[in-house]
Amino acid sequence: MRPFPQFVIIILSCILLNNQKCHAQAIDLSKAQIFNTVSDKNVQLRTVEILQQEVEKRSGIKMSSLKTLPKKPASLIILAMENDFSKLPQNYRSAVNRLPQIQKEGFKLLALPESNTVLVVGKDARGLLYGTGRLLRNLEIAKGSIRLKSALALATSPRYPIRGHQLGYRPKTNAYDAFTVAQFDQYIRDLALFGANHIEIMPPRTDDDFTSPHMKLPAIKMIVEQSRICKEYGLDVSMWYPNLGKDYVHPDSIRNELKEREEIFSILPKLDAVFVPAGDPGDLEPDVLFAWLEKEAELLKKYHPNAKIWVSPQVFRPTQKWFDTFFGHVNKEYPWFGGVVFGPWIKLPVAKIRELVKPSIPIRHYPDITHNYSSQYPVPHWDLAFAMTSGRESINPRPNDEKAIHNALDQYGIGSISYSEGTNDDVNKFVWSDQDWDPERPVIETLREYARLFIGPDFTESFAQGLLALERNWKGELLTNESIDRTLVQWQQMEKQAPLKVLQNARFQMGLIRAYFDSYTHRRLIYETALEQEAKEILENAKSGTTLESISKAKLILEKAWTKTILPDYQAKCHALADSLYKSIGAQLTMKKHGAMSGRGNFIDLINMPLNDSPWLLDQFEKMEKMSSEQDRLTYLQTILHRTDPGPGGFYDHFGDPESWYRVVPGQPWEKDPGSLLSPRIGFGVGLVGEEWVDEIKATGFKGQVTPRVWMKQAKTLYDQPLKIHYDDLDPEASYTIRIAYTGRFRSRMKMTTDDGVLIHDFIKTGEKPIYEFELPKVAIKKGKVTFVWSCGEGERGSQVTEIWLIRK
């Protein structure tokens, strides 16, 4: 249960100064002037400038600013602080005072139709900024016109005190490293208009290259600019600062690490927090970590006296001892300690962390809103074809998912600063900020305001609904998802109606490229699936003496996927939009042309990734062609074509297939456990010997051999959470051999038992070979059913199971 809200929102049809009844009507603010009661520049900051600039760039109208209220009736936008509200006439004060009370950073927004006046009253400087942002989000601004469609009265305060996003200026990101100072200024402003109050930056040295060809400034200079911009907007600055040194015990090493940090801390105009991950990167034992942090905190205080250090229990291979020591330090409540960060690759659920730490110690969320798989909150049950082509870091508006993730866990923390690697997650940022402000707010309202402000009032509903349609594209099986082509039609209709300014808008282009990309992938999957089926039918009819001829015909059919491609105009559209996005916002959607890093947003490079089993089949054909015996070829061919056949009375399941998922014993529902810390999830990748991480999902694994397509997707659990798979309707009198395919990103030590303790196999280090076979003890199936259980040793990454054959003897 969430705490009682500290905010209230009331939307009324109309509030009249003389209490007379009136009808909601549009307010024309095209000739409005700004009257600002705030004289203190440290409070006013850039709020008036923001209002003037954002209106002028959309309408061409330069709003003038008044020093005194006009004596004659005039159209006004009045900006005021609650503590100096007495400067306004009584009729304005009376109208505003009818609204509920507001809290820190809150605001009141009141439109008075009869006088064409809007009042924005802030509790404090930030409240005034956020109230101005909400006004801009509701204005319908066009060339020469500024209108508020209906009378508006609301009073609102944020639910959570931390609402922010990470904007790291480093090469690994898919766009930020190409930003200019002006682009960072605008992007930070955009986020602030939706209630963000924190921006997290990064030091020049991270787990990344030091520089990139896209950078307009050296990192050491750009982070100063980011800090300055935040200070001017009145926002807090956090810095993600991992421990990358090799030694944090030896005095010489510590001296060097402190010297580096002093160079950074001393030049930043504003720094309110430093976030140090315990791992990924920088794995330190807790005793060493906290001893080092105390030294870092002393230095931090020298330049930023009020700044605190936050730490996450983020570690790839955790043990209970590690956690016991870590939380022992946390609960000592060091004076420099800000709180605990809950983010990716943390084994413990945030609810458990809340139990382990003292109530006085805050928890801050660090949600991964940027990645699609191999991440904290992957797309649930994502189709393999999308995972292969869209990749881990493509443009990914997931508004409903983000709200569900936020609302499942928000009550355990005091807000969030999102983990972002670029502009691909742009929509998700604004949804998350709005949910940190008000978790009850419908997502569609956020999207409408996003569309109205950033695209234009004519596209408020169509663009908002288009974003929701893109999210629906990723639900269910791609092969049968007919809504994907309807989504493209929606976007094509907007494309036809849009003026040039909208067509060149980066946010519009990000949605449009996804619509074309998704439809192209859908249509190509249908095409290539049909080609594979046609090729297999030819092979099924091969007879003695015709195998080589059948193989040749099958190869030609499979090769049509790239010799007779479909929808070249869709592909060309995607490339053209990728070029435009690179020019406008530095989005790096390809490696060669746009300078992307592999696996970091370059999904256009994957646009023609084979979607059927052709890589594996062609590799098998090559092996067969080298065989000298026709009979050997025929036998091998049948083995290929019937690879999944368990034989009479047997069972076969691929756990990356929705049709087999019902056998996987569920944990908590996704809506309660979106990070799958207590539940099974889908995993992607085959796994390569000697490689901890593979950027792309493709049919290559183990020692580099080509693998079946199905090996790229599996069921998995994280850490030592057991993975359970249930079978019933077995013959209790029969004997079975169980064949298992262990593939996936992790190379864990796994043990397999039944739920009543029968051992199938002891700990095996997976990742060296894919297929294992074991005799199934009869005692395991004496009731005609069995639940298999896989568990990892302590400190392992997780259990993965791809395929099972139960072969009846």
Side-chain angles (χ1 to χ4, degrees):
M1 179 179 293
R2 294 193 181 92
F4 187 78
Q6 297 178 348
F7 64 92
V8 61
I9 294 180
I10 296 181
I11 300 180
L12 306 173
S13 61
C14 193
I15 291 183
L16 283 183
L17 301 181
N18 57 7
N19 291 324
Q20 293 178 351
K21 183 178 180 182
C22 75
H23 298 287
Q25 55 185 294
I27 301 177
D28 189 348
L29 297 169
S30 303
K31 296 181 180 180
Q33 297 172 294
I34 301 171
F35 175 63
N36 174 31
T37 68
V38 183
S39 57
D40 187 344
K41 291 184 178 180
N42 292 323
V43 176
Q44 177 179 306
L45 298 170
R46 295 175 65 181
T47 300
V48 175
E49 171 195 337
I50 290 170
L51 180 58
Q52 290 175 321
Q53 290 179 350
E54 295 303 316
V55 165
E56 184 177 10
K57 73 174 63 170
R58 292 166 172 82
S59 68
I61 298 171
K62 172 78 171 179
M63 283 186 167
S64 60
S65 184
L66 302 174
K67 292 185 178 180
T68 59
L69 277 173
K71 295 180 180 179
K72 295 182 178 180
S75 181
L76 295 172
I77 296 177
I78 299 174
L79 306 180
M81 298 288 292
E82 192 177 55
N83 61 7
D84 65 359
F85 198 46
S86 59
K87 296 178 182 178
L88 295 179
Q90 180 61 43
N91 56 347
Y92 289 150
R93 298 201 305 269
S94 297
V96 172
N97 285 335
R98 293 175 194 157
L99 296 174
Q101 293 296 309
I102 51 177
Q103 306 301 321
K104 184 178 179 181
E105 300 190 11
F107 61 86
K108 297 180 181 182
L109 178 58
L110 175 63
L112 304 173
E114 288 199 342
S115 59
N116 265 15
T117 297
V118 176
L119 293 100
V120 181
V121 180
K123 183 73 173 181
D124 44 35
R126 284 182 181 170
L128 193 63
L129 171 64
Y130 300 139
T132 301
R134 184 66 69 91
L135 173 61
L136 284 166
R137 289 152 62 177
N138 281 276
L139 290 177
E140 299 202 341
I141 310 175
K143 196 69 176 176
S145 173
I146 309 166
R147 294 166 64 86
L148 189 60
K149 193 170 183 179
S150 61
L152 183 68
L154 64 96
T156 175
S157 302
R159 172 75 64 84
Y160 296 111
I162 296 180
R163 308 174 305 280
H165 305 281
Q166 189 181 83
L167 307 180
Y169 188 67
R170 61 172 179 166
K172 191 179 288 185
T173 65
N174 57 58
Y176 298 146
D177 59 331
F179 272 25
T180 62
V181 174
Q183 284 175 310
F184 270 122
D185 188 297
Q186 184 63 55
Y187 203 55
I188 291 169
R189 174 187 294 191
D190 289 349
L191 293 169
L193 294 179
F194 278 73
N197 65 2
H198 281 69
I199 297 296
E200 191 158 83
I201 60 179
M202 294 185 179
R205 183 171 70 124
T206 67
D207 57 334
D208 201 349
D209 296 335
F210 190 71
T211 188
S212 88
H214 306 293
M215 287 183 168
K216 307 300 189 294
L217 286 178
I220 193 71
K221 292 185 177 181
M222 186 60 86
I223 61 174
V224 173
E225 294 295 325
Q226 289 176 302
S227 176
R228 174 190 59 79
I229 292 165
C230 291
K231 184 176 182 180
E232 291 178 359
Y233 285 127
L235 309 182
D236 284 353
V237 180
S238 175
M239 176 171 276
W240 179 81
Y241 211 136
N243 298 316
L244 297 175
K246 295 181 179 179
D247 187 339
Y248 285 87
V249 176
H250 194 281
D252 291 344
S253 300
I254 291 176
R255 191 179 303 112
N256 290 334
E257 291 294 316
L258 289 174
K259 180 182 178 182
E260 175 194 296
R261 282 156 180 77
E262 184 161 25
E263 291 173 358
I264 304 301
F265 297 160
S266 64
I267 61 173
L268 294 178
K270 183 176 175 61
L271 184 61
D272 302 280
V274 174
F275 163 32
V276 181
D280 189 25
D283 297 312
L284 295 180
E285 289 300 314
D287 287 340
V288 175
L289 172 65
F290 278 85
W292 154 245
L293 292 180
E294 186 172 13
K295 297 178 178 66
E296 184 175 4
E298 185 177 350
L299 176 65
L300 178 63
K301 186 177 180 179
K302 176 181 176 183
Y303 296 98
H304 304 280
N306 297 319
K308 302 289 186 179
I309 293 181
W310 293 68
V311 187
S312 66
Q314 191 171 339
V315 58
F316 277 140
R317 301 185 183 280
T319 63
Q320 188 59 51
K321 180 182 177 182
W322 192 98
F323 282 123
D324 290 344
T325 308
F326 178 89
F327 287 109
H329 282 286
V330 166
N331 283 320
K332 290 180 180 178
E333 297 187 277
Y334 299 114
W336 49 263
F337 187 69
V340 176
V341 177
F342 176 73
W345 294 115
I346 293 176
K347 174 183 176 181
L348 300 177
V350 65
K352 182 63 177 178
I353 294 175
R354 184 67 278 169
E355 292 177 7
L356 291 172
V357 302
K358 293 179 179 179
S360 58
I361 297 172
I363 296 173
R364 189 203 96 189
H365 292 279
Y366 180 45
D368 181 353
I369 64 172
T370 204
H371 293 126
N372 304 324
Y373 65 80
S374 295
S375 60
Q376 186 182 17
Y377 304 118
V379 179
H381 292 278
W382 207 23
D383 191 277
L384 177 59
F386 271 142
M388 294 169 67
T389 54
S390 296
R392 187 168 180 255
E393 208 172 276
S394 60
I395 295 165
N396 67 344
R398 297 175 58 194
N400 283 313
D401 276 1
E402 298 302 335
K403 178 177 174 60
I405 294 164
H406 178 280
N407 290 8
L409 307 172
D410 63 316
Q411 64 267 34
Y412 300 109
I414 62 168
S416 64
I417 298 177
S418 75
Y419 168 30
S420 170
E421 293 284 16
T423 54
N424 67 301
D425 56 26
D426 184 67
V427 170
N428 302 338
K429 291 187 185 79
F430 292 89
V431 170
W432 204 276
S433 287
D434 231 12
Q435 291 300 303
D436 269 343
W437 187 284
D438 175 9
E440 276 74 46
R441 192 155 205 250
V443 159
I444 187 61
E445 294 304 321
T446 304
L447 298 182
R448 285 172 179 146
E449 292 180 354
Y450 177 96
R452 186 184 295 117
L453 181 62
F454 296 136
I455 309 300
D458 292 341
F459 295 88
T460 298
E461 193 65 23
S462 57
F463 190 83
Q465 295 294 341
L467 292 174
L468 292 174
L470 290 177
E471 182 175 28
R472 288 193 296 271
N473 280 3
W474 283 4
K475 303 293 184 182
E477 293 188 68
L478 176 56
L479 193 64
T480 57
N481 189 347
E482 297 179 358
S483 68
I484 289 175
D485 291 333
R486 290 196 295 272
T487 298
L488 177 61
V489 170
Q490 286 180 284
W491 281 89
Q492 287 174 326
Q493 289 170 345
M494 284 190 278
E495 185 182 15
K496 289 176 183 178
Q497 298 165 1
L500 181 61
K501 186 176 182 180
V502 170
L503 291 174
Q504 293 176 339
N505 184 311
R507 288 186 166 108
F508 184 84
Q509 290 180 342
M510 285 195 285
L512 189 62
I513 194 173
R514 261 290 310 279
Y516 275 102
F517 187 93
D518 289 0
S519 185
Y520 179 67
T521 304
H522 176 229
R523 298 281 290 277
R524 200 163 60 83
L525 179 61
I526 294 171
Y527 177 55
E528 293 184 19
T529 300
L531 291 178
E532 180 181 333
Q533 186 60 35
E534 184 180 354
K536 285 183 174 179
E537 288 174 1
I538 289 173
L539 296 171
E540 285 281 12
N541 293 322
K543 299 177 181 178
S544 181
T546 66
T547 54
L548 292 176
E549 179 184 354
S550 297
I551 288 170
S552 180
K553 290 180 179 178
K555 287 170 65 176
L556 290 173
I557 291 169
L558 293 174
E559 289 167 356
K560 286 182 181 179
W562 53 91
T563 61
K564 292 186 177 180
T565 57
I566 62 169
L567 300 172
D569 51 332
Y570 284 23
Q571 186 177 172
K573 172 68 77 170
C574 289
H575 281 283
L577 288 168
D579 290 343
S580 184
L581 285 164
Y582 177 66
K583 290 176 184 176
S584 63
I585 60 171
Q588 299 140 40
L589 307 188
T590 69
M591 294 175 64
K592 186 175 181 180
K593 196 170 186 180
H594 305 132
M597 294 185 71
S598 178
R600 294 289 176 177
N602 63 312
F603 70 102
I604 298 300
D605 285 334
L606 311 176
I607 193 168
N608 286 314
M609 180 78 76
L611 298 180
N612 59 16
D613 234 339
S614 59
W616 182 69
L617 288 171
L618 292 171
D619 182 69
Q620 300 304 303
F621 293 166
E622 186 176 339
K623 293 177 181 178
M624 292 167 62
E625 288 171 335
K626 294 177 181 179
M627 295 178 182
S628 57
S629 166
E630 177 72 1
Q631 185 57 48
D632 288 347
R633 282 194 291 269
L634 277 171
T635 302
Y636 195 75
L637 181 58
Q638 291 303 308
T639 302
I640 292 171
L641 294 174
H642 302 284
R643 190 188 74 83
T644 62
D645 181 11
F651 298 77
Y652 167 80
D653 288 284
H654 169 229
F655 297 103
D657 190 329
E659 292 183 3
S660 291
W661 189 257
Y662 76 96
R663 295 195 185 278
V664 179
V665 178
Q668 293 188 3
W670 181 85
E671 291 77 10
K672 292 185 176 180
D673 182 29
S676 309
L677 292 175
L678 301 173
S679 315
R681 62 159 66 176
I682 286 292
F684 293 102
V686 179
L688 286 169
V689 173
E691 295 288 340
E692 179 73 19
W693 182 261
V694 179
D695 290 332
E696 298 173 0
I697 298 173
K698 54 186 178 182
T700 306
F702 297 93
K703 297 182 179 179
Q705 66 263 41
V706 182
T707 66
R709 182 178 186 270
V710 296
W711 286 4
M712 291 185 272
K713 187 177 181 183
Q714 58 280 144
K716 76 175 181 182
T717 50
L718 299 178
Y719 305 109
D720 54 7
Q721 181 69 21
L723 174 60
K724 300 179 180 181
I725 295 176
H726 180 76
Y727 282 85
D728 49 22
D729 297 330
L730 299 172
D731 181 355
E733 302 300 323
S735 297
Y736 290 87
T737 296
I738 184 168
R739 180 186 301 157
I740 313 168
Y742 289 143
T743 69
R745 176 186 170 195
F746 303 150
R747 295 187 297 279
S748 300
R749 291 176 62 252
M750 290 197 307
K751 178 180 181 180
M752 180 184 178
T753 64
T754 66
D755 61 347
D756 53 1
V758 178
L759 180 67
I760 308 300
H761 70 69
D762 211 333
F763 285 105
I764 290 175
K765 180 73 171 178
T766 60
E768 298 297 324
K769 68 175 187 175
I771 301 294
Y772 294 82
E773 285 194 5
F774 307 94
E775 296 305 312
L776 195 60
K778 275 198 171 186
V779 67
I781 58 166
K782 61 184 178 182
K783 295 181 181 179
K785 57 184 179 181
V786 62
T787 298
F788 298 118
V789 181
W790 288 264
S791 56
C792 286
E794 188 178 42
E796 298 289 347
R797 301 289 294 278
S799 300
Q800 302 166 132
V801 176
T802 306
E803 295 177 290
I804 284 180
W805 293 256
L806 285 174
I807 303 166
R808 189 176 186 275
K809 296 183 181 180

